[in-house]
Amino acid sequence: MSDPVKTMKQEVGRAAAARVKSDSIVGLGSGSTAAYAIEYIGDRLAKGEIKNVVGVPTSFQSEVLAKQFNIPLVTLDAIDHIDVAIDGADEVDPDKNLIKGGGAAHTREKVVDSLAKEFIVVVDEGKLVDKLGSTFLLPVEVIPMAVAPVMRSLAKLGGKPELRMGVKKAGPVVTDQGNLVIDVKFDHIKNPAEMEKEINNLPGVLENGIFVGVADIIMVGKIVDGKPEIVEF
C-alpha cells in the first residue's frame, strides 16, 4: 500500500518541477520534497521534455541527487542569474516568511534562493504556521570559536539556544562550510525581518534560518480523503 504522505511530497515535487522551462538555470534545494523535484527535473530532461537546464545545488545532498539524475551543475561564479529555485521550508507564515535550516543547509539555500527570479517553496501543510518560531527551532550557523558568546547573545534576545548535536555521530553537527549550528527556541518571532538582521549582526554568526521576502510561490501538499492535493498561495 502506498504511503499518502510520500505520495503527496512526490506530487508537490512534480508540480514544482513542471514549472522548469528549457534553457534555464535552476536552484536545487535541500530536503525530502525538494529531492523529489530534483528527481522529476532529471526525469523531464531524460525524456526530452526540457533541454539545456543546469542546476545550482544548495547542499552536498542536492549536489549528489543532481548527479544521480544527470542534471548538469554550475557554480555561482560561472553564472550571472538564476531563473527559478525550488526548495523546502520548515515553517511558512501567511506572509510567505520562512524558517529553514533543519538540514543545516540554510546559508547556501539563502544565497541561491535569494538570487532566483522566482523562488518556489514546496511544503506539506504541517509546515504552515500563524507565526514563525511556533513549532520549529531557529537555526543559526556560527563559526566554531564564537559559539559561547553567540549563545549568550541569543539568550539576551529572548531565545533558548542549544548547540545542534549529530545523530549517529559523536559531537556537534558540522555544516557544509565547516561551521556549527545553534538551534534557538523562541516562543514566537514577532518581527521576522528585524530578528533576521539582529541575529546576523552578532559577530561570529554567518547566517540564520529566517527568510523574509524571498519566497514568491508556496506550493502546499495536503491529503484530502486519502488523496494528495496541491494548493498555492
Side-chain angles (χ1 to χ4, degrees), residues 16-28 41 44-45 50-56 71-74 79 81-86 117-118:
R19 298 288 182 94
V20 175
K21 299 181 173 78
S22 291
D23 308 308
S24 61
I25 301 169
V26 186
L28 303 173
I41 292 166
R44 293 188 67 207
L45 278 167
I50 47 175
K51 60 182 197 306
N52 195 22
V53 168
V54 292
V56 181
I71 301 170
L73 296 176
V74 289
I79 56 171
H81 72 284
I82 294 172
D83 296 294
V84 60
I86 300 168
K117 288 178 189 165
E118 183 176 60

Side-chain angles (χ1 to χ4, degrees), residues 121-137:
V121 180
V122 287
V123 290
D124 57 78
E125 65 179 330
K127 306 290 172 65
L128 302 181
V129 294
D130 292 330
K131 277 196 170 12
L132 289 189
S134 39
T135 60
F136 204 82
L137 303 175

Side-chain angles (χ1 to χ4, degrees), residues 149-204:
V150 168
M151 284 178 88
R152 286 195 292 272
S153 300
L154 290 167
K156 281 182 191 154
L157 290 176
K160 296 188 184 74
E162 235 175 68
L163 188 62
R164 187 183 300 184
M165 302 308 282
V167 177
K168 297 186 180 174
K169 168 197 174 292
V173 166
V174 179
T175 69
D176 288 354
Q177 289 75 244
N179 296 313
L180 303 178
V181 176
I182 298 169
D183 287 313
V184 194
K185 173 67 186 140
F186 288 100
D187 290 333
H188 61 269
I189 297 167
K190 288 193 185 76
N191 188 329
E194 282 303 306
M195 182 68 86
E196 181 181 19
K197 287 192 191 114
E198 205 165 352
I199 292 174
N200 278 357
N201 276 337
L202 298 174

Side-chain angles (χ1 to χ4, degrees), residues 2 26 31 95 143 160 193:
S2 68
V26 186
D95 298 321
I143 63 171
K160 296 188 184 74

